[in-house]
Amino acid sequence: MKKLLLLFSLTIITISCSSGDEDSYGIFNPPAWIQGVWKDEASGATLTFTNHDIKYTTNGESFSYSRQAYKFSETLAQEISSTPNLYVSDFHQGDKGFIFRFNFSKTSNTRMHSKGHLPGNYVKQ
C-alpha cells in the first residue's frame, strides 16, 4: 500500500512539473500588439509572443525564454519600455550572466523590426 501511495504521489508531482505551460512562469509581459507569431523575412525563423513568454523557433527547434528563466533562480527579466509601438525588455541571469536585450519596434500593423537580441525584420503570421 505504501509503495502504491508513493508511486501515485510521484506521478502527480511529475505531471504537475512538466505541464509545459510557459505562461505560468510569468517572466515577460509583451503588449497586446506584439502577441502572436512573427516570421523573420530573411531566415524564416519565428518568434511567438504570448501573455508571459517569448519563444524562438528555427530549424524545427524551439526555445522558450520564460522556461529558460525558470530554470535559474537568479534569472531576471526587466521591462524597459512597453508602448503601442515599442517593446524593450532585458533578460539576464543574476550578477554574472549574459544580458540579452529584446528591442522590438512596430513599423506597421503586420511588420516589426528587432534591433536587439534576435535581430531582423518580422512579418505577422
Side-chain angles (χ1 to χ4, degrees), residues 3-123:
K3 288 181 182 180
L4 184 59
L5 184 57
L6 179 62
L7 180 62
F8 179 73
S9 297
L10 288 173
T11 303
I12 296 297
I13 290 170
T14 302
I15 291 170
S16 299
C17 293
S18 63
S19 68
D21 183 11
E22 286 79 21
D23 271 359
S24 65
Y25 302 138
I27 302 298
F28 297 97
N29 293 299
W33 71 264
I34 202 170
Q35 291 183 25
V37 178
W38 297 80
K39 186 174 185 177
D40 183 20
E41 293 178 310
S43 70
T46 60
L47 281 169
T48 303
F49 296 86
T50 64
N51 289 331
H52 299 292
D53 196 10
I54 300 171
K55 298 175 188 174
Y56 180 72
T57 304
T58 186
N59 299 324
E61 298 291 322
S62 189
F63 182 84
S64 163
Y65 284 90
S66 283
R67 179 170 284 212
Q68 185 66 24
Y70 188 74
K71 289 179 182 178
F72 301 98
S73 61
E74 293 184 19
T75 299
L76 305 171
Q78 180 182 7
E79 191 171 280
I80 307 298
S81 180
S82 181
T83 71
N85 295 316
L86 181 67
Y87 178 60
V88 181
S89 182
D90 285 349
F91 168 78
H92 56 91
Q93 296 174 352
D95 297 339
K96 299 175 185 175
F98 293 102
I99 296 176
F100 301 101
R101 173 160 282 179
F102 297 105
N103 188 330
F104 303 104
S105 58
K106 180 176 161 182
T107 56
S108 76
N109 285 337
T110 59
R111 295 186 175 276
M112 75 169 173
H113 177 72
S114 173
K115 62 181 179 179
H117 185 60
L118 307 173
N121 293 304
Y122 292 85
V123 177

